[in-house]
Amino acid sequence: IGGNTTIGGNTTIGGTTTIGGTTTIGYNTTIGGNTTIGGNTTIGGTTTIGGTTTIGYNTTIGGITTIGYNAKLPTFKLDNFIYLQSLLY
């Protein structure tokens, strides 16, 4: 977990997950194992991210969002209430 990273309460982060610096993760969020989250990223509360997922730098993910397993998101912005099974780049 990089420096200047904030993680909200009741958040679960799976093993072998890497989180870049200056990242904010909202409350009630679940991040699966073997996931990589780039720095300067914001993840809203009540979000679920499946394992083995890669999220690019400078990415914004709104709250109440579900991202499936093995998803690959480049620098991206998602609003609230989104469900992605997988997005490959």
Side-chain angles (χ1 to χ4, degrees):
I1 298 174
N4 295 324
T5 294
T6 303
I7 300 173
N10 199 35
T11 291
T12 302
I13 300 171
T16 66
T17 292
T18 302
I19 301 171
T22 317
T23 293
T24 300
I25 299 172
Y27 62 92
N28 294 330
T29 294
T30 300
I31 300 171
N34 197 36
T35 293
T36 300
I37 299 171
N40 200 37
T41 293
T42 300
I43 300 172
T46 314
T47 293
T48 300
I49 299 171
T52 315
T53 292
T54 301
I55 297 172
Y57 291 87
N58 299 314
T59 298
T60 300
I61 300 171
I64 312 173
T65 298
T66 300
I67 299 172
Y69 291 88
N70 298 312
K72 309 291 184 221
L73 288 93
T75 298
F76 209 84
K77 181 173 182 176
L78 296 175
D79 287 325
N80 296 333
F81 303 103
I82 302 293
Y83 175 82
L84 291 176
Q85 185 59 38
S86 65
L87 177 64
L88 302 175
Y89 66 91

